[in-house]
Amino acid sequence: MILAAIALVLATLIGIPLGVISGARAGGLAATVIRTLSIAVLSLPPLLTSLLLVFIAARTGWLPIGGMRSTGLDGGGLTDLVRHLVVPVLAIALPMAATLERLQAQSMSEVIGQPFVNASRARGVPWTRIVWRDALLVAIKPVTALYGVMVATVLSGSFAVEIVTAWPGLGRLMLDALRVRDVYLVAGCAATGAIFLAIGTLLSDLATAAVDPRVRS
């Protein structure tokens, strides 16, 4: 839960703003750079991304590459937890951020051409206000529809990331259960994933209702 929550927050804070920038200025230099980086990140499998980050951490020695045992927030537990979080969080958050950026950019580019945007510009409304307030509320709806699935995927555990970075999460637990053929533990992990999917779908519906008044009515 710690790993998934931080990765989701980081991916959202990175992906949504970058998608707005690249979608609002589709032909600019910034949009081209953001689009190129997103495609590059999306083209890398999670396993390869994890291995690359582990390799960088091992070569530089700045961050630990495994062995996280402390989840307490007292004493030195918090420092140990934060240092072990960096590599797995980045491995999960970067592909998610790239996915959110591409989806948000496509939606924003479609909304920018709508009549209400042109009418606001004709009335002299500042461009930044149009993009970050009016257009974003409309363009973010497709993102909220997908967000629930992403929440369920992350909370269910990323097998490749957890195994490569030696993170004690649900993915590693299920793998160990499969190795020893513990049917009941495997069923419990699968049921937990189904619960996360239901929670993610509910959050997605609530977010969609928050940005679209027609859904609430």
Side-chain angles (χ1 to χ4, degrees):
M1 292 293 291
I2 296 173
L3 180 63
I6 297 177
L8 281 169
V9 172
L10 182 62
T12 304
L13 294 178
I14 294 175
I16 299 298
L18 291 182
V20 173
I21 295 173
S22 59
R25 299 290 187 182
L29 177 61
T32 302
V33 173
I34 294 172
R35 182 169 57 252
T36 302
L37 292 176
S38 296
I39 294 175
V41 172
L42 285 174
S43 64
L44 295 175
L47 177 60
L48 186 57
T49 304
S50 304
L51 290 173
L52 177 61
L53 292 173
V54 168
F55 174 76
I56 295 174
R59 293 288 293 179
T60 59
W62 296 339
L63 297 167
I65 58 175
M68 200 284 289
R69 292 292 182 270
S70 176
T71 57
L73 302 182
D74 53 339
L78 179 59
T79 303
D80 179 70
L81 177 62
V82 171
R83 294 184 73 246
H84 282 87
L85 272 172
V86 176
V87 173
V89 162
L90 287 177
I92 297 177
L94 289 179
M96 290 179 55
T99 302
L100 289 173
E101 186 277 325
R102 286 288 77 215
L103 185 63
Q104 184 65 71
Q106 180 179 359
S107 180
M108 178 62 70
S109 63
E110 295 175 354
V111 172
I112 287 298
Q114 294 295 321
F116 77 92
V117 175
N118 297 328
S120 298
R121 298 186 67 179
R123 294 187 178 94
V125 179
W127 176 247
T128 55
R129 182 177 179 181
I130 296 174
V131 171
W132 293 98
R133 191 193 67 174
D134 302 330
L136 179 58
L137 287 177
V138 179
I140 204 172
K141 184 179 178 181
V143 180
T144 59
L146 179 65
Y147 205 74
V149 180
M150 298 181 65
V151 170
T153 302
V154 175
L155 291 180
S156 297
S158 175
F159 283 87
V161 173
E162 292 181 5
I163 293 171
V164 171
T165 60
W167 184 269
L170 186 62
R172 287 188 60 197
L173 178 63
M174 180 177 283
L175 179 62
D176 293 339
L178 289 171
R179 285 175 174 173
V180 299
R181 299 184 180 181
D182 189 340
V183 179
Y184 297 104
L185 183 55
V186 172
C189 293
T192 304
I195 293 173
F196 287 151
L197 179 60
I199 295 174
T201 304
L202 176 61
L203 293 176
S204 177
D205 292 341
L206 293 176
T208 302
V211 300
D212 191 348
R214 295 172 298 180
V215 177
R216 295 196 299 267
S217 61

